[in-house]
Amino acid sequence: MLSIKNLEVKIEDKQIIKGLNLEVKAGEVHAIMGLNGSGKSTLANVLAGRDGYEVTAGSVEFMGKDLLELAPEERAGEGIFLAFQYPVELPGVLGSYFLRTAYNSIQKYRGLVEAGVKEFSELLQSKLKLLEFDPSYLARAVNEGFSGGEKKRNEIFQMALLNPKLAILDETDSGLDIDALKIVSAGVNAITASDPEKAVIVITHYQRLLNYIQPDFVHVMIDGQIVKSGGKELALQLEEKGYNWLKADAA
Amino acid sequence: MSFENKISKFYQELQLHSQLSYRHFREDSWKAFLEVGLPIKTEDWKYTNLAPLNELNFNGGLAEINLAQFVKENILLANYLVVVDGRVNLELSNLPKDNLLEIKLLEKNSEQESVNTNTLGSLQKFAPADFQSLNSALFEDAVILTFKQGFSLDAGLQVINISTANFSAPRIFYKLNTGVALEIVESYFSIGEDLRLVCPVAEYFLDQNAELKVYKIISEAKNTYHISNQISQLAKDSRFFCYTFNLNNGVTRNNLLSRLVGTGAFSSLIGLNVVGNQEHVDNFTVLDHVAPHCESYELYKSVLGQQAKTAFNGTIIVQQDAQKTNAIQSNQSLLLSAEAQSFAKPQLKIWADDVKCTHGATFGNLDTDALFYLRSRGLAESEARRLLVEAFAGEVTAQVKNLVVRSFLEKKIFQKLVDIF
């Protein structure tokens, strides 16, 4: 589904990603772990198409297409979804209006039927239950005045609605209390369970999230490269031993 | 020939027909205007250049227009007063027949009414003399509306001002007696593309516990200088909401003065400019807190495309007796083009010691994080931009509780955004 080869990325003049390789197949859950500044979030942003990143080498293919050639909205249409580390507040943009516009933009891109107000409202109700989401959020401006946990839940809610092929969760667990973490994880698990083809990349500092979202693969990222890959037991090792033993390997 | 010289003909002509008491009022106002003249490059007129008004041709013919049709197309509310070039047109108007509403017209050539300077022009001394005095010297008709206690008009009242001539000075005076609540739409249109000056003055007197909402919607042609004065005086517990929507302009300058003279009064001045090309809007506001325990709120927002220019001057005066004043002022500009310009000048003059005054100004382009967020959710870039700009403007329109007015504005704003993007 996703094939990243020898990816190198610069921000301004600073090399952040230094030759990264990753293969993600349909239905797989990959965890990418690493310390701050290792390039994890840069990778997420490059995949979603944020401006300000310069790809200096390598390639990213998604479902057979050159992902780097596509605008962010085209990537969303193709099935990439990024759950933001810091979801943006949109004052004055009503939640329900935003969601319907996003949903219909993507339906249109995929050649599917756009939803009218009534149908869409029914669709929303069914997804709201999934995340124990209070419908009153929809009548408020997107993320405005939301708590950290509400913002992250809103991201997963959008993921459920927009039906991506590949979801990238960028530190979705950061700052969440354990109850919010359980709700968010249950939401992600329900989405993946409903479609065995869906793939997920979970980017995180902490092993804790991986107790709730079980990864098939764990990758350790240090200084812009994946230095070690393994199964979920690797996450436990990191929890126990930290990253230093791998830094030696990387050097 | 200077503006003052050219316009003096108007004054002399009007004085020939004025009755005595009227004549004094005009004469005093004319002198006051001549003392200051056309304010060019003064500190208060730093952002709006009036020099082109010296080129004004007062002999310009009237624009041809089917008035009845034009009025029909622009009616928003069931009750309306039509004013053409500063002269009342009762035939085309539809005013409520209610003995709690007193309508006086001070007409050019009329011998019936004398100007009571206790009403008309009584706030003149508090506002800059320039265009206010010019209007007092040169208005043709003045409309004096008194809404007596117990009056109510759910549908509101629209004042449709149409300019077809090169110069006009519409004059209107509202008096709301105790407890009266009213909504007014003041629409301004100009027909024809030649250089012109429209300098209206509106005075609003609110008695105790009265409430007035004014929606001023400016749709002037590109060579029109719209220079207005809106002056309000608020008695105890009265509430004044003044919205100014500048959606089509040549050069617009709105002088707003609101005096809070009774305790517990509330004044809210709110404006939205959606401007492109060479359009120019300058909102010059003064909130004068005279009495204690009053509140004022100001929000002025601009969306600017192309080479448009906006300015906001917000003076808050808190007099020595006006303790416990709470004044909030905010000015935000969204610049969609590198050539657009926006200026803000907040000024606080506080003589009391127990007050809360906050002010803030922000200028910028669309938030790139917000744009990326929307695009990552599938919205095309143009749609994401449109959504964010509408949300920015929506903060103002959402405050318009009259649904007819709001949906009219939303439609106009949408059309204008298409033009300036």
Side-chain angles (χ1 to χ4, degrees):
Chain A
M1 177 183 277
L2 179 76
S3 173
I4 305 176
K5 292 202 170 86
N6 287 316
L7 185 69
E8 293 182 16
V9 179
K10 263 187 182 174
I11 301 176
E12 286 163 2
D13 277 337
K14 197 165 179 243
Q15 196 75 41
I16 306 291
I17 295 182
K18 303 170 178 173
L20 183 137
N21 293 286
L22 182 67
E23 293 286 330
V24 178
K25 296 195 175 67
E28 292 178 349
V29 177
H30 290 245
I32 298 180
M33 301 185 71
L35 295 170
N36 273 335
S38 57
K40 305 186 304 292
S41 284
T42 298
L43 176 64
N45 283 318
V46 167
L47 294 178
R50 191 193 279 266
D51 277 348
Y53 298 87
E54 190 193 346
V55 175
T56 50
S59 66
V60 181
E61 222 175 69
F62 178 69
M63 308 294 294
K65 287 187 180 163
D66 180 355
L67 190 69
L68 301 176
E69 286 295 304
L70 302 177
E73 56 270 30
E74 292 171 323
R75 299 181 197 202
E78 292 291 335
I80 300 257
F81 179 89
L82 171 65
F84 281 54
Q85 183 180 1
Y86 304 111
V88 181
E89 295 193 8
L90 303 173
V93 180
L94 204 64
S96 54
Y97 182 73
F98 159 69
L99 292 170
R100 192 161 71 88
T101 310
Y103 179 81
N104 280 339
S105 301
I106 286 177
Q107 289 290 98
K108 194 174 167 189
Y109 185 91
R110 292 175 187 166
L112 301 171
V113 187
E114 295 178 44
V117 176
K118 191 166 169 288
E119 295 162 70
F120 187 71
S121 156
E122 284 162 13
L123 179 69
L124 276 183
Q125 295 309 322
S126 69
K127 303 289 179 189
L128 279 167
K129 289 196 189 96
L130 197 68
L131 279 152
E132 304 178 26
F133 218 57
D134 184 338
S136 71
Y137 291 151
L138 303 174
R140 290 164 58 186
V142 180
N143 290 328
E144 196 184 32
F146 284 27
S147 71
E150 286 169 342
K151 283 181 183 169
K152 296 295 175 79
R153 248 193 286 172
N154 194 10
E155 294 295 286
I156 305 306
F157 179 60
Q158 292 170 41
M159 172 181 164
L161 193 69
L162 300 179
N163 197 21
K165 295 189 177 78
L166 170 66
I168 303 158
L169 312 185
D170 187 7
E171 303 205 16
T172 298
D173 54 332
S174 302
L176 288 190
D177 62 46
I178 195 75
D179 294 326
L181 185 71
K182 281 180 185 167
I183 295 170
V184 163
S185 311
V188 173
N189 290 333
I191 295 165
T192 48
S194 70
D195 176 3
E197 293 289 295
K198 273 196 190 1
V200 181
I201 297 175
V202 182
I203 291 173
T204 181
H205 280 294
Y206 309 108
Q207 186 271 336
R208 190 181 65 161
L209 175 66
L210 305 180
N211 291 336
Y212 300 98
I213 300 174
Q214 299 272 327
D216 301 304
F217 303 93
V218 173
H219 311 277
V220 182
M221 204 165 162
I222 292 176
D223 194 23
Q225 288 177 315
I226 288 175
V227 297
K228 193 165 180 69
S229 298
K232 63 186 168 198
E233 69 288 348
L234 180 55
L236 293 168
Q237 266 181 297
L238 287 170
E239 181 83 350
E240 208 176 295
K241 298 180 9 192
Y243 288 90
N244 281 337
W245 61 288
L246 288 165
K247 274 187 186 160
D249 286 7
Chain B
M1 210 164 40
S2 73
F3 175 86
E4 291 86 348
N5 283 333
K6 281 192 273 189
I7 208 162
S8 66
K9 279 190 211 151
F10 267 80
Y11 170 68
Q12 282 146 17
E13 147 95 17
L14 277 166
Q15 282 300 52
L16 284 179
H17 304 285
S18 289
Q19 58 165 291
L20 196 63
S21 61
Y22 212 11
R23 216 176 283 160
H24 286 309
F25 181 61
R26 285 200 193 282
E27 197 180 326
D28 291 347
S29 304
W30 178 248
K31 280 182 188 157
F33 169 70
L34 285 186
E35 255 174 57
V36 288
L38 206 55
I40 294 173
K41 290 188 177 161
T42 63
E43 183 58 26
D44 285 353
W45 290 84
K46 196 164 137 183
Y47 302 117
T48 300
N49 177 20
L50 296 177
L53 284 179
N54 282 316
E55 305 304 314
L56 198 60
N57 168 20
F58 289 94
N59 304 319
L62 301 185
E64 298 245 346
I65 178 190
N66 180 340
L67 269 180
Q69 185 61 28
F70 187 85
V71 168
K72 206 171 134 196
E73 284 165 8
N74 289 291
I75 294 169
L76 277 180
L77 305 178
N79 302 290
Y80 47 92
L81 171 69
V82 176
V83 180
V84 182
D85 295 319
R87 302 215 60 183
V88 171
N89 186 325
L90 285 175
E91 232 167 83
L92 293 178
S93 302
N94 184 33
L95 290 166
K97 283 166 194 62
D98 186 328
N99 52 18
L100 294 175
L101 168 60
E102 185 189 282
I103 304 172
K104 276 195 202 174
L105 297 179
L106 302 176
E107 291 175 83
K108 177 182 175 183
N109 306 337
S110 158
E111 293 297 323
Q112 284 158 20
E113 299 282 355
S114 62
V115 174
N116 181 354
T117 45
N118 288 332
T119 21
L120 203 68
S122 63
L123 296 177
Q124 210 149 282
K125 59 178 178 287
F126 298 107
D130 40 51
F131 286 90
Q132 203 201 177
S133 306
L134 186 68
N135 178 292
S136 293
L138 297 178
F139 67 78
E140 298 195 36
D141 293 353
V143 187
I144 299 180
L145 301 172
T146 307
F147 301 88
K148 296 182 180 163
Q149 193 167 357
F151 177 86
S152 91
L153 188 65
D154 288 343
L157 172 69
Q158 185 183 10
V159 181
I160 302 174
N161 288 281
I162 303 165
S163 132
T164 68
N166 296 85
F167 174 79
S168 61
R171 182 68 175 241
I172 194 156
F173 181 97
Y174 304 89
K175 172 91 184 326
L176 274 67
N177 287 356
T178 302
V180 172
L182 183 67
E183 279 188 331
I184 295 165
V185 172
E186 293 181 357
S187 311
Y188 286 90
F189 302 94
S190 43
I191 313 297
E193 299 271 285
D194 46 342
L195 181 66
R196 78 182 63 196
L197 171 62
V198 179
C199 61
V201 171
E203 290 158 283
Y204 314 93
F205 268 73
L206 279 69
D207 280 352
Q208 197 166 333
N209 198 33
E211 176 172 312
L212 178 62
K213 288 193 171 121
V214 177
Y215 303 105
K216 180 175 171 183
I217 306 170
I218 298 176
S219 304
E220 301 281 26
K222 68 174 182 186
N223 290 316
T224 298
Y225 279 69
H226 177 104
I227 299 173
S228 78
N229 278 278
Q230 291 170 279
I231 308 160
S232 54
Q233 182 154 291
L234 282 63
K236 186 175 182 328
D237 299 328
S238 63
R239 296 165 300 281
F240 179 61
F241 301 83
C242 186
Y243 297 83
T244 311
F245 293 92
N246 297 290
L247 302 178
N248 280 294
N249 302 274
V251 175
T252 294
R253 159 81 168 225
N254 299 304
N255 292 317
L256 294 101
L257 166 67
S258 192
R259 302 189 73 232
L260 300 108
V261 298
T263 55
F266 174 76
S267 184
S268 167
L269 308 179
I270 293 170
L272 176 67
N273 311 316
V274 184
V275 288
N277 295 317
Q278 275 88 43
E279 287 178 280
H280 177 110
V281 178
D282 181 353
N283 288 305
F284 191 96
T285 71
V286 179
L287 274 158
D288 189 359
H289 284 263
V290 181
H293 295 284
C294 292
E295 289 188 32
S296 64
Y297 173 78
E298 274 183 286
L299 174 66
Y300 280 84
K301 287 191 140 186
S302 301
V303 180
L304 300 100
Q306 290 121 1
Q307 296 89 37
K309 186 170 159 184
T310 65
F312 169 73
N313 188 309
T315 302
I316 298 172
I317 303 168
V318 182
Q319 312 266 10
Q320 202 161 3
D321 290 339
Q323 300 293 0
K324 304 287 180 190
T325 287
N326 187 9
I328 298 169
Q329 180 189 89
S330 169
N331 171 233
Q332 297 165 29
S333 294
L334 191 55
L335 295 113
L336 301 176
S337 141
E339 293 167 283
Q341 287 179 295
S342 188
F343 303 91
K345 190 176 169 197
Q347 296 185 74
L348 304 179
K349 297 177 183 170
I350 300 175
W351 312 108
D353 51 19
D354 186 10
V355 301
K356 266 193 261 178
C357 286
T358 60
H359 65 93
T362 59
F363 302 90
N365 205 323
L366 288 172
D367 177 9
T368 52
D369 287 340
L371 267 179
F372 175 62
Y373 189 72
L374 289 169
R375 293 179 73 189
S376 79
R377 298 301 183 250
L379 277 74
E381 188 179 1
S382 59
E383 192 163 14
R385 290 173 67 87
R386 184 185 59 76
L387 190 66
L388 291 176
V389 174
E390 280 181 9
F392 178 84
E395 196 195 343
V396 177
T397 49
Q399 299 191 34
V400 177
K401 300 297 177 216
N402 183 314
L403 293 179
V404 176
V405 178
R406 192 205 296 187
S407 71
F408 170 80
L409 286 167
E410 283 171 347
K411 214 168 81 193
K412 284 272 176 202
I413 291 165
F414 181 79
Q415 287 166 355
K416 188 63 192 271
L417 288 176
V418 171
D419 293 343
I420 68 169
F421 254 39

